[in-house]
């Protein structure tokens, strides 16, 4: 699980790409401003924010897959931490990919997710899989089958959200807080959080 946790923080590690692409980032900036204004259930609130500012060149990020290291290019990205009381409930990281490379970038991100799933299974992690459509968002994810075996602040679930209209990919990791005691208690919290996050569709964004 520690390996999975490192993925989310690697989103801010990027190298400057050598090619320039025309792009717009209005929707991404709107998302970054919009998420913190949402009112969440279960005592969840947004707290810490970081953003990879757009430049005249895309950024390149490395993703580990079963076939080795692959590179993807993205234009802008941000990370938001969500808390439940004093504990991190979820960390969300969103990136907007280069338009003409979006299908390839999406495939690589999915391959990286499946690689992490296989790693967890090989290390005797009991996982339950999740797939759901939320409007314009396609969501896939894994979560631990038994939360009682997890300590506070440790990883519960690892999820991906793709929006083909915005050409964005979002990684969400959920961690255990002191207010979570069972999987049956956590699953409704997860569902309410994902529903709220995916309510920010392209036709609802401010400035759109």
């Amino acid at each position: 699980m520690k390996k999975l946790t490192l993925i989310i923080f690697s989103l801010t590690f990027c190298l400057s790409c050598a090619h320039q692409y025309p792009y717009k980032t209005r929707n991404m900036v709107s998302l970054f401003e919009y998420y913190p204004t949402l009112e969440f259930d279960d005592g969840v609130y947004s707290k810490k924010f970081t953003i990879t500012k757009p430049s005249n060149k895309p950024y390149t990020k490395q993703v580990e897959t079963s076939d080795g290291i692959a590179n993807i290019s993205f234009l802008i990205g941000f990370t938001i931490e969500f808390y439940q009381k004093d504990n991190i409930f979820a960390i969300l990281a969103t990136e907007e990919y280069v338009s003409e490379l979006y299908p390839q970038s999406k495939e690589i991100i999915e391959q990286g997710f499946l690689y992490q799933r296989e790693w967890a299974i090989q290390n005797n992690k009991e996982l339950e899989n999740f797939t759901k459509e939320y409007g314009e968002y396609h969501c896939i994810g894994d979560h631990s089958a038994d939360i009682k075996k997890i300590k506070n602040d440790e990883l519960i679930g690892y999820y991906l959200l793709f929006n083909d209209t915005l050409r964005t990919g979002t990684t969400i990791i959920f961690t255990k807080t002191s207010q979570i005691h069972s999987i049956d208690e956590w699953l409704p919290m997860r569902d309410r959080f994902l529903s709220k996050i995916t309510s920010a569709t392209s036709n609802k964004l401010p400035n759109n």
Side-chain angles (χ1 to χ4, degrees):
M1 288 301 183
K2 183 177 180 181
K3 184 176 181 180
L4 292 180
T5 306
L6 293 175
I7 300 170
I8 196 76
F9 295 106
S10 70
L11 294 175
T12 56
F13 178 76
C14 52
L15 301 173
S16 180
C17 183
H19 303 286
Q20 294 189 21
Y21 298 88
Y23 61 90
K24 65 182 182 67
T25 59
R26 183 184 63 182
N27 282 334
M28 281 290 290
V29 174
S30 295
L31 278 173
F32 181 71
E33 296 172 345
Y34 183 51
Y35 281 146
T37 68
L38 296 175
E39 294 183 2
F40 293 90
D41 302 305
D42 307 304
V44 174
Y45 60 96
S46 54
K47 186 174 181 180
K48 294 184 179 179
F49 319 93
T50 58
I51 188 167
T52 302
K53 296 181 180 180
S55 68
N56 61 348
K57 297 179 181 179
Y59 298 96
T60 297
K61 185 184 72 175
Q62 294 184 329
V63 177
E64 188 175 7
T65 72
S66 59
D67 296 325
I69 302 297
N71 293 328
I72 62 171
S73 296
F74 69 97
L75 304 170
I76 182 176
F78 62 78
T79 302
I80 300 177
E81 294 181 6
F82 295 88
Y83 282 70
Q84 193 177 48
K85 287 193 173 180
D86 296 327
N87 301 112
I88 294 178
F89 175 79
I91 302 176
L92 176 151
T94 297
E95 297 166 344
E96 180 184 347
Y97 302 112
V98 176
S99 178
E100 56 267 45
L101 299 180
Y102 173 71
Q104 177 186 350
S105 300
K106 180 180 178 181
E107 182 179 359
I108 291 173
I109 294 294
E110 289 178 327
Q111 289 175 354
F113 171 81
L114 294 176
Y115 176 73
Q116 297 300 327
R117 173 186 285 173
E118 184 62 29
W119 175 88
I121 293 174
Q122 291 176 356
N123 284 271
N124 301 316
K125 306 297 182 181
E126 297 182 23
L127 300 177
E128 293 185 3
N129 309 139
F130 179 83
T131 302
K132 187 172 181 178
E133 303 297 324
Y134 291 91
E136 296 181 356
Y137 290 86
H138 172 66
C139 178
I140 58 175
D142 292 328
H143 63 265
S144 297
D146 189 357
I147 287 182
K148 294 180 180 179
K149 298 179 181 179
I150 300 175
K151 298 178 181 178
N152 287 351
D153 300 322
E154 289 186 344
L155 186 68
I156 295 177
Y158 176 46
Y159 290 74
L160 295 178
L161 289 165
F162 292 102
N163 186 315
D164 294 342
T165 301
L166 300 179
R167 299 183 300 278
T168 59
T170 298
T171 302
I172 302 175
I173 62 169
F174 290 96
T175 60
K176 186 176 180 180
T177 71
S178 58
Q179 295 177 274
I180 299 172
H181 305 99
S182 68
I183 190 68
D184 291 335
E185 186 178 31
W186 176 74
L187 286 174
M189 294 183 186
R190 177 207 64 184
D191 292 342
R192 287 189 287 268
F193 182 85
L194 291 176
S195 295
K196 184 70 69 171
I197 288 296
T198 54
S199 67
T201 55
S202 60
N203 63 341
K204 294 180 182 178
L205 290 176
N207 302 324
N208 224 25

